[in-house]
Structure formats: structure tokens, C-alpha cells
Amino acid sequence: MQGDFDKILIVDFGSQYTQLIARRVRECQIYSEIHPFNISFEKVKTLSPKGIILSGGPASVYEKNAPLCDPALLRMGIPVLGICYGMQLMGHLLGGEVTYSEKREYGKARLLVDRKGKLFQGILPKGNHFDVWMSHGDQIKALPSGFQTIAHSRNTSIAAIEDASRKIYGLQFSPGGCSYTERT
């Protein structure tokens, strides 16, 4: 029966990587379901996920008809990971500031980890950086209360964030294609 095992809920904002995210979660032997961004909070509660991933997407959170999720998803007390648009949306919904980037970031980028925090615990055996894939034209300019920046890139001063006390994390990049490397 569906409720007899743990699941991760992936909220889709139109990312070209949503299916890849679901596949990567399933490769970790964890059940995942993809649902549209406008899924109701009540429906999410009935699904009882152990965590939520907010996908990326092509919109800007500050546009008039930007796709938004119910902010209550961020107050469920379960881990939430926002990826690209999902990270920007969390910042926007929780009182931070998201703006247009003067320089778009697209392609391979070096992510420099400022502090491992909970998000990067155990995955940086040596060095302090990852090679990641960035694809964004917006960025978080000011963090919401309670968040810390844990990584940046040459072009983006806020590229990974966390509020560990609320179990809310964000990545400006898609983690499906990153690799860690030693400091050179």
C-alpha cells in the first residue's frame, strides 16, 4: 500500500530536470512522486512525505503570474530542498529578496563551499569545491531571516543556503550533474 513506505514529494515548477531529480532519488532506493506546483497543502499532508523537493523552472518568482506553491509546505517541519527556481521561491516566500542577475550563469561553474553546514556534510572529503551545472538569470540578493549562505560561485554570491533549524535548504544549481574535486 502507498502509505506503508517513506516518500519524497517533488513539486514541479516546469524544470527540464524534474524527471532526472526523481530518478536520482529513486536510485537511492527512496520512493518519490512528482506533483504540480499548485498541489494543495491538504493533499501534501495526506501523502505524508518525509521530505519535499521544489524543482527548478523557467519563470521568475517576481513575475505577475509566477507559479507559486503553498507557503505552508515550508512550515511542515520536514526537510525541504529548493533547486534553482525552488531555492529562489523559498527565498521569496520567506521574506528574502530575489532579483534579476546582471550576468546570467549558464553551464559549468565552480561552486565554492564557504561552510559545509548540514547540506554538504559527508560529501566533501577533500577540498572545498564542486563543479556544477548552473542555469539561471535570477538570484537571491538578500536571504530570509534564519538562513545562511553556505556556498557561492564566481558569478553568484548566494549559490547554496540553509536554515538547518527549520530543515530548509537550497541550491542554485541542479545537483544531478555535480562532482566534487580536490582543492588545486
Side-chain angles (χ1 to χ4, degrees), residues 11-117:
V11 179
D12 185 18
F13 292 93
S15 170
Q16 59 188 358
Y17 295 107
T18 300
Q19 293 295 330
L20 176 61
I21 294 166
R23 189 178 93 207
R24 294 283 190 228
V25 170
R26 292 172 187 146
E27 286 173 353
C28 293
Q29 306 302 307
I30 299 170
Y31 178 76
S32 66
E33 292 182 4
I34 299 171
H35 289 271
F37 70 88
N38 57 356
I39 186 172
S40 72
F41 176 66
E42 291 73 26
K43 175 70 174 175
V44 172
K45 285 194 317 187
T46 65
L47 293 171
S48 300
K50 295 296 182 185
I52 297 173
I53 298 173
L54 305 177
S55 83
S60 293
V61 298
Y62 49 78
E63 290 176 345
K64 182 178 179 181
N65 293 313
L68 304 174
C69 64
D70 189 325
L73 298 181
L74 302 174
R75 296 188 299 270
M76 291 181 68
I78 61 174
V80 178
L81 174 65
I83 299 173
C84 198
Y85 179 87
M87 180 178 103
Q88 295 165 11
L89 180 62
M90 291 184 326
H92 176 73
L93 293 175
L94 295 172
E97 182 182 359
V98 178
T99 63
Y100 179 76
S101 298
E102 290 187 25
K103 183 179 176 191
R104 290 184 55 91
E105 193 167 27
Y106 184 79
K108 185 177 177 181
R110 175 138 302 169
L111 182 79
L112 301 166
V113 177
D114 302 311
R115 52 182 290 280
K116 291 181 184 178

Side-chain angles (χ1 to χ4, degrees), residues 123-167:
I123 60 172
L124 282 173
K126 296 180 183 177
N128 70 338
H129 59 269
F130 292 94
D131 291 325
V132 299
W133 183 265
M134 295 279 197
S135 179
H136 65 98
D138 294 334
Q139 64 183 350
I140 293 181
K141 184 175 182 177
L143 289 173
S145 178
F147 280 84
Q148 294 182 323
T149 301
I150 58 173
H152 70 280
S153 71
R154 189 171 62 158
N155 186 59
T156 305
S157 62
I158 301 175
I161 62 173
E162 73 176 21
D163 180 337
S165 66
R166 290 191 282 180
K167 304 178 198 168

